[in-house]
Structure formats: C-alpha cells, structure tokens
Amino acid sequence: MKKFMTAAAAVILLAGCGSSTGTAEPAATETPEATTEAAPKEEVQTVGEYTVYNSTGESITELYLYPTGSADKGENLAGDHGFKDAHAVGLTYDAGDKAADTALTLEFTTESGYNAKFETLHIETAPLTLLAADALTGATPLAFQASTAKYTIYNKTKENVTELYMYATGSSDKGENLIDGAKEPDGQQVIEFESVPEWLVKEDGSLSPITLEFTTESGYTASFTTLSYEVAPIQLISEDMVTGATKIKFGLPE
C-alpha cells in the first residue's frame, strides 16, 4: 500500500558421517559442524521523504508525487491554498517491497500556469527546490538542495571573535565582516539566507562550497572551506581544541 503524508542467514550445516569396511566397525569420527552465512542483503530504503521548497517566485497551486508512468496522479499535495516562497511542504511516499524498482514523478503547476515535472526521483531522503522557468540551467525544473540556509554560530574559542566571513570557496572577495552576537565567549548568532545568494552560484548553475573564516582577538585565524548550503549549528573552537584539520565543530555545544 502506498501512503502520502504532508508536513529493511541462512545457515547451512554440513555434517560428516563415518564409513566402515570389513567386519570390524571403527568408532564413527565426527566431523565438526561448519556454518556458512549468506552475505547480508543491501538494505533498500522503502520510504521516500522529501522537503519541497518553492523558489518559483509565485504560488504553487498543484503539486503531485506519483509513480512515473502512472495515469493516476493522486491528490493535490499543495493543499487548498497552495504554498508560496519560503514555505516548505514535507512529502512522504511509501513504496513497500517495490522500492528498488520505483521511480517517482514530482509535478507542479504555478498560479501563472507554468507546469513542470521531474520523472526520475528515487526513493530517498532529500531536499527539493522547485525552480522558475527562467531559472533553469538545463532540463531539470528542480534542484536537490534547500532554498534556504541557516547557520547558528556559537563562539567556543574562549576569547572574543573579531572577524567572521562566509564566502564562496576560492573567491578573493570575502564580503563583509558578519560577526555580531558571537563576539564574546559563549555568545551566539544566526546567519540566514532566504534564497541562494548570487555569489554562491557558479557559471554552470551549481553551488560552490562555502568558506567560513574567523579571527579571534589574539590573532588566531581559522577557516573551514567545505561548508554546504544547509541548516547547521556550528561551533567556532580555539586552537587548543582542534583535533584534526577541522577548525570548527558541528552540533550544539554541550
């Protein structure tokens, strides 16, 4: 049964047996039991979970998720009033034992009548952003990424942080100094993007990794160059807390 909601050893025993010739029957010799375990089957995700973001610039009036090739699209998942920019809809599709062979179509229509579909969606957990017609860089009307990003920055360096930058990795332009609420030890602040900034988009339409760079009052400077466009809590840590190449720590402070 398929279900939508809005907001997955064999042991073989081999026993030896005794044999005899002539009139004297020697005691049977036991052969130790041998076991062979079948290789574990690769687990297949059976339930797809998708967070759908609207970056078309207008309301989505129709939204469907259905098996590719099916004539039955099911119910309109956009709801009675659709959903607009910065709003997200959570979709779940249960494929059951057919998960490995299931391809899904995500289809949407905007209030202006623009209709688009993506027909090779897998059973997976993924953020999906619906794109406007003029934002397409190819045949795909959606992007596998969130339309918004939010970073909660915690100052765990044990000293004041004087500079904080976020910029496209490899760029010579760091932009403005973003340090605010995380200036002092144990301070925190939120840096949020409601849409993908232009400086993050590469020429081919894909997103550059982000560099997060900070400097403390003592002059210690550190950077992390492979930050994704995502929602994440980030701790700025002092030099004596660094255990490897990573100068930050993901997760909430203890």
Side-chain angles (χ1 to χ4, degrees):
M1 184 178 73
K2 302 176 180 64
K3 180 172 60 178
F4 291 105
M5 293 178 290
T6 57
V11 177
I12 303 173
L13 302 181
L14 302 176
C17 59
S19 61
S20 62
T21 57
T23 57
E25 186 174 318
T29 303
E30 290 188 0
T31 302
E33 290 183 341
T35 60
T36 303
E37 292 189 2
K41 292 183 178 180
E42 182 180 353
E43 290 189 6
V44 176
Q45 184 170 338
T46 61
V47 178
E49 297 182 346
Y50 313 94
T51 303
V52 182
Y53 299 89
N54 178 13
S55 283
T56 65
E58 51 180 325
S59 291
I60 301 295
T61 57
E62 297 181 34
L63 180 67
Y64 300 98
L65 183 66
Y66 55 92
T68 298
S70 174
D72 182 8
K73 297 181 181 179
E75 64 178 303
N76 179 5
L77 303 173
D80 295 335
H81 304 290
F83 71 108
K84 297 183 179 181
D85 261 351
H87 287 196
V89 170
L91 305 182
T92 299
Y93 185 91
D94 189 344
D97 58 3
K98 296 182 179 180
D101 303 317
T102 299
L104 299 177
T105 290
L106 181 69
E107 180 177 344
F108 65 92
T109 302
T110 67
E111 61 184 344
S112 69
Y114 169 58
N115 175 266
K117 63 178 68 173
F118 182 80
E119 300 177 306
T120 56
L121 191 62
H122 298 294
I123 302 298
E124 59 188 318
T125 300
L128 306 173
T129 296
L130 310 182
L131 303 175
D134 58 6
L136 303 186
T137 57
T140 304
L142 58 83
F144 285 83
Q145 63 198 35
S147 62
T148 60
K150 182 178 180 180
Y151 309 93
T152 304
I153 310 295
Y154 299 90
N155 179 4
K156 307 304 292 183
T157 65
K158 305 174 185 176
E159 58 175 317
N160 291 337
V161 172
T162 58
E163 297 179 33
L164 177 66
Y165 300 97
M166 294 183 72
Y167 54 94
T169 297
S171 173
S172 58
D173 183 5
K174 297 181 180 180
E176 64 177 305
N177 182 3
L178 301 174
I179 193 62
D180 187 12
K183 286 181 179 179
E184 299 178 351
D186 295 322
Q188 70 180 73
Q189 72 181 79
V190 173
I191 298 175
E192 187 170 10
F193 301 96
E194 293 186 354
S195 59
V196 177
E198 292 184 3
W199 52 263
L200 196 56
V201 182
K202 298 192 289 187
E203 290 185 0
D204 63 1
S206 63
L207 299 188
S208 166
I210 299 170
T211 290
L212 176 70
E213 180 182 327
F214 67 93
T215 300
T216 66
E217 194 171 36
S218 68
Y220 170 59
T221 296
S223 62
F224 181 79
T225 61
T226 56
L227 188 63
S228 299
Y229 189 76
E230 59 187 324
V231 176
I234 297 173
Q235 299 176 48
L236 310 181
I237 58 178
S238 59
E239 190 170 14
D240 59 5
M241 295 172 64
V242 176
T243 57
T246 303
K247 306 299 192 297
I248 64 174
K249 183 178 179 181
F250 287 95
L252 299 174
E254 295 180 0

